[in-house]
Amino acid sequence: MVTPADPGTARTSVWLAVRPAAPARRRTEGPDGLDRERITAAAVRLLDAEGLARFSMRRLAARLGVTAMSLYWYVDTKHDLLELALDSALGELGEQQEPAGPPAEGWPGRLRSLARGYRRLLADHPWVAPLTAAYPNIGPHARAFDSTLHRLLDATGLPDATRAGARLAVSQFLHGCGGTVRRPPDGEFCLALDVLIAGILAHTVPEAGAGPAAPAAP
């Protein structure tokens, strides 16, 4: 199974590395029909089908009908490809980047929508949870999701001093709800989410003249 880079081994995230453009001759020698997007999509399908422990560049190349070395025209390492696959899967959240819900539900309803969408993602792609622990998770879809979470917590009315703690609690909950060891049943998950929301509500500052906030019904 993939692990973070070995101690003492420097590794730059694929999202931070600057890859020099290949010379024209090298580009024309590359395998026909391949590009980074197609390779990444195939990697996601292979990870879904066989799991992270069995993933290899050779197995991926066999699925694409090319040699393993052909893949290295487009990615430098297997770790780079796994980072790309991770962010591609996060992109499936799609509309969950701006979770919709009845206006009366406010931010609690939006947080429930966001959490349930993320839980479905982890269920559909069990390899995502361990990769989020192994890699920086700073691709464009991951950053979009993080921005959505920031905006959602801004809407809670939490004082600045407690907002960072709430963000940490929500992030830990979202990553843990997919559970690499045990995924809680739906009932337990919803109860835990209600407790989390109640904790945030207990620290919010209600608007002047407004009564105490109450969590939306699940």
Side-chain angles (χ1 to χ4, degrees):
M1 181 177 290
V2 65
T3 59
D6 295 332
T9 302
R11 179 183 173 276
T12 301
S13 167
V14 69
W15 302 110
L16 300 177
V18 178
R19 225 174 169 240
R25 182 183 62 82
R26 186 181 173 192
R27 286 199 300 270
T28 59
E29 292 173 355
D32 290 337
L34 281 186
D35 56 38
R36 181 176 275 196
E37 289 71 26
R38 182 185 172 199
I39 292 170
T40 300
V44 169
R45 291 193 297 271
L46 179 59
L47 286 161
D48 287 344
E50 300 189 10
L52 187 56
R54 289 175 57 82
F55 182 84
S56 72
M57 299 297 269
R58 286 185 180 277
R59 297 178 79 84
L60 178 60
R63 281 205 162 209
L64 288 167
V66 299
T67 66
M69 288 305 298
S70 299
L71 303 178
Y72 293 104
W73 289 77
Y74 305 95
V75 291
D76 291 333
T77 68
K78 182 176 86 168
H79 289 279
D80 287 353
L81 182 53
L82 288 172
E83 275 198 85
L84 293 169
L86 170 61
D87 199 66
S88 176
L90 291 175
E92 294 178 15
L93 289 169
E95 294 180 357
Q96 293 295 335
Q97 300 295 349
E98 289 293 347
E105 290 189 353
W107 68 260
R110 293 170 57 209
L111 179 55
R112 284 188 174 88
S113 177
L114 188 75
R116 288 166 179 161
Y118 196 80
R119 176 176 164 87
R120 286 193 297 271
L121 174 77
L122 295 182
D124 292 341
H125 306 292
W127 48 273
V128 164
L131 288 190
T132 57
Y135 295 125
N137 204 16
I138 55 175
H141 291 119
R143 286 185 282 109
F145 184 81
D146 198 49
S147 294
T148 295
L149 183 56
H150 269 286
R151 290 192 295 273
L152 202 159
L153 291 176
D154 286 344
T156 62
L158 282 171
D160 292 343
T162 58
R163 198 174 301 160
R167 181 177 178 278
L168 177 61
V170 172
S171 295
Q172 292 294 328
F173 177 81
L174 292 178
H175 293 310
C177 72
T180 55
V181 177
R182 173 182 175 271
R183 292 184 70 248
D186 287 344
E188 290 183 16
F189 170 79
C190 291
L191 176 60
L193 183 55
D194 285 344
V195 170
L196 176 65
I197 290 173
I200 295 175
L201 283 165
H203 290 83
T204 58
V205 178
E207 296 180 3

